[in-house]
Amino acid sequence: MSNNTQSGRQLISRSQSEFSNNYNHHDDPEMNEVVDALEKTDMKENAVENSTTPHRSKQSKMRRNRKARSLYGVSPHCKFGPKGSLVDNSATVLTIPDPGCQKLKWHKPPLSVLVVRKMFDESIIIPFKDLIVWLIEEKNMVVYVEEKVLEDTSKLFRTNSQDLLSKIQTFKEGEEDLTDKIDFIVCLGGDGTLLYASSLFQQSVPPVMAFNMGSLGFLTPFHFCNFQEQVTSVLQGDASLLLRYRLKCVVCNQGSECSRIPHVKNIDKKCGDAHILVLNEVVIDRGPSPYLCNIDLYIESRLVTSVQGDGLIISTPTGSTAYAVAAGASMIHPNVPCILITPICPHSLSFRPVVVPAGVEIKIMVSPEARNNAWVSFDGRNRQEIQQGDTLRITTAMYPVPSVCAKDQIDDWFDGLADCLHWNVRRQQKTLPSLPSTTSLDSVILDPDSN
């Protein structure tokens, strides 16, 4: 089914739902033609499906209907009564991607692939070698591997007929820009392997396919047993994507040029003492100091509160199931556009985690009354000290991580909650005993003869 058809279904379903009173697509002749064409295409596809698969499974129908009815955000043409509407400016409208329409599309066949594996795990060496040999010999792809990773496994790639080492491209972290060299990423390991792959791309990220070969695997939905079929399917474009939001983090030292730029989204990568995109979270803590961490929290230039405690976690929806959930935050689906702010052991009983809209600027500074400096880490790496007068500025990055789904965006996430975090796992409550003469629970408890 084409992406245009799915997008059209969203427009049709939205016009038939509660938005029908506010949004009338017939006001736009071009949109009207698109909807009419998609309705005809939808009718043809339904006719073909009914003729070829008359006994389609109930689960497949429910999944299709669920995606077709998905509503995502406010329409740019939404009206508020007879005289009110949104300002006609695309920059003021936030369009939330519909999970049912996030499908992978290759404009050209992918030719290069980056393979990232978990370090210091001998059980991954053989699958790592099998994957690379298959990608080179069967798919004729250019394979990139980090230099330090290849050094430990170089002997495995020597065969009787040829030396595959000459066909493997290597790189060093931080010394080469892979943005325009890599078409596809395959990860072998756990969640940390995916975080590391994200850190290698500080701008646009290629589609990432993550195989669960680590400890937890909440972010890695694929199993390696039949990797040939799964990778081939993705290379052919048959895959759903989960766009995982990242945070743009800029450290501005006191008096630096970037500290005078009005909004962090306007800060160029060349400006700032540290410019990092993170997938999970930014953690500000007291470091080795025995004193409380005392930092000021600003949101959109407003001083919201002063944090006194062990620190603060600023996380993406993906990071909500990591450090943040251990600190008492709620778990948020990665498709929800937001930023989660979670205190670490706050010295206040009323300081609870809060969720703010994606795109706002969060600014953190060491309070003038603080007894010590603060420390900051980005996805557990690049740890550095924040002194008084320095500013840590954070917002939603414009470059997400397109994570390939094993099933779809909803099933993968709830499967992870159940399998990895054992979410809401408990013994089922027993049913009441069969007592035909008993009409209430009170009579069972109060009547001594009921035993």
Side-chain angles (χ1 to χ4, degrees):
M1 186 179 298
S2 65
N3 291 337
N4 291 336
T5 301
Q6 291 179 345
S7 300
R9 282 186 177 144
Q10 306 304 324
L11 292 172
I12 295 169
S13 62
R14 190 163 66 239
S15 63
Q16 292 173 348
S17 62
E18 68 256 27
F19 287 116
S20 60
N21 295 329
N22 295 332
Y23 173 53
N24 185 4
H25 65 266
H26 294 287
D27 295 338
D28 189 343
E30 183 178 353
M31 183 65 69
N32 195 18
E33 293 178 3
V34 173
V35 174
D36 290 341
L38 290 168
E39 285 179 338
K40 294 179 181 179
T41 304
D42 197 20
M43 294 174 62
K44 291 180 180 179
E45 290 182 351
N46 289 336
V48 173
E49 290 176 357
N50 292 334
S51 62
T52 56
T53 56
H55 303 289
R56 191 178 180 187
S57 66
K58 181 178 179 181
Q59 183 178 3
S60 178
K61 288 182 179 180
M62 291 176 61
R63 183 172 295 176
R64 177 182 172 185
N65 292 337
R66 180 186 68 193
K67 292 181 179 180
R69 292 195 301 267
S70 179
L71 300 177
Y72 55 104
V74 178
S75 166
H77 306 283
C78 183
K79 297 180 180 179
F80 314 119
K83 298 181 179 179
S85 65
L86 290 174
V87 176
D88 188 13
N89 183 1
S90 59
T92 63
V93 179
L94 173 63
T95 301
I96 303 173
D98 173 33
C101 291
Q102 294 177 14
K103 304 292 183 181
L104 176 61
K105 176 182 178 181
W106 299 108
H107 296 287
K108 293 182 180 179
L111 301 178
S112 60
V113 55
L114 170 64
V115 180
V116 183
R117 76 168 180 89
K118 181 181 179 182
M119 294 291 293
F120 313 114
D121 190 343
E122 294 183 356
S123 64
I124 301 181
I125 294 179
I126 299 300
F128 175 71
K129 173 248 183 183
D130 293 341
L131 173 64
I132 291 182
V133 171
W134 180 78
L135 289 170
I136 294 176
E137 294 184 346
E138 300 296 330
K139 295 301 179 180
N140 297 319
M141 300 188 72
V142 178
V143 176
Y144 284 79
V145 175
E146 192 171 2
E147 187 174 295
K148 65 180 180 181
V149 174
L150 193 61
E151 290 177 354
D152 298 333
T153 55
S154 59
K155 295 181 180 180
L156 294 176
F157 294 96
R158 300 188 182 276
T159 61
N160 296 329
S161 58
Q162 59 179 338
D163 186 4
L164 293 178
L165 281 175
S166 60
K167 297 184 178 181
I168 300 176
Q169 304 294 321
T170 60
F171 70 95
K172 292 184 178 180
E173 180 189 5
E175 296 184 7
E176 300 181 45
D177 186 5
L178 302 176
T179 303
D180 297 327
K181 297 180 180 180
I182 306 299
D183 299 329
F184 183 45
I185 303 174
V186 178
C187 293
L188 304 179
D191 296 346
T193 309
L194 180 61
L195 293 176
Y196 178 70
S198 170
S199 68
L200 296 175
F201 296 84
Q202 291 296 299
Q203 295 185 32
S204 176
V205 185
V208 182
M209 187 176 187
F211 288 91
N212 183 6
M213 304 184 73
S215 302
L216 187 62
F218 187 78
L219 306 180
T220 54
F222 289 92
H223 298 284
F224 195 76
C225 54
N226 58 336
F227 74 92
Q228 297 93 337
E229 298 177 4
Q230 298 179 89
V231 175
T232 299
S233 178
V234 175
L235 293 177
Q236 293 174 349
D238 184 16
S240 298
L241 293 177
L242 175 58
L243 302 183
R244 298 185 179 275
Y245 295 96
R246 293 196 291 178
L247 296 177
K248 176 182 178 180
C249 311
V250 181
V251 177
C252 301
N253 290 336
Q254 185 176 13
S256 63
E257 180 182 353
C258 70
S259 62
R260 295 187 289 269
I261 298 178
H263 199 284
V264 63
K265 66 181 180 181
N266 299 320
I267 298 179
D268 188 75
K269 186 177 181 180
K270 299 178 182 180
C271 182
D273 300 282
H275 191 292
I276 303 173
L277 301 188
V278 301
L279 178 58
N280 260 1
E281 74 269 313
V282 185
V283 177
I284 305 95
D285 57 63
R286 58 192 175 119
S289 173
Y291 299 111
L292 287 175
C293 184
N294 192 349
I295 54 178
D296 292 336
L297 173 64
Y298 295 81
I299 298 180
E300 289 294 302
S301 302
R302 171 194 169 95
L303 177 59
V304 175
T305 188
S306 292
V307 180
Q308 297 183 84
D310 282 350
L312 194 65
I313 306 171
I314 311 296
S315 60
T316 64
T318 295
S320 68
T321 52
Y323 194 177
V325 73
S330 296
M331 295 180 290
I332 303 175
H333 190 275
N335 268 119
V336 179
C338 66
I339 301 176
L340 179 60
I341 303 175
T342 307
I344 305 173
C345 297
H347 202 253
S348 170
L349 297 178
S350 60
F351 195 172
R352 307 304 304 162
V354 294
V355 178
V356 296
V360 301
E361 179 182 17
I362 298 174
K363 187 169 63 174
I364 295 173
M365 301 180 65
V366 177
S367 298
E369 299 83 9
R371 297 182 179 182
N372 54 290
N373 295 329
W375 288 77
V376 58
S377 60
F378 308 90
D379 276 344
R381 309 179 72 204
N382 301 308
R383 188 168 174 81
Q384 57 186 282
E385 189 175 11
I386 302 295
Q387 302 178 354
Q388 287 196 1
D390 296 342
T391 305
L392 173 61
R393 306 176 70 177
I394 305 169
T395 191
T396 305
M398 62 183 299
Y399 300 107
V401 174
S403 181
V404 179
C405 300
K407 298 178 182 178
D408 60 34
Q409 298 87 347
I410 303 299
D411 289 346
D412 282 4
W413 194 67
F414 279 100
D415 286 347
L417 292 184
D419 298 338
C420 300
L421 302 182
H422 301 290
W423 177 58
N424 196 31
V425 174
R426 71 177 298 272
R427 292 183 178 180
Q428 281 290 84
Q429 186 182 41
K430 294 182 178 180
T431 59
L432 290 174
S434 178
L435 298 174
S437 61
T438 301
T439 59
S440 68
L441 183 61
D442 293 338
S443 60
V444 176
I445 299 176
L446 298 178
D447 187 1
D449 297 333
S450 62
N451 294 329

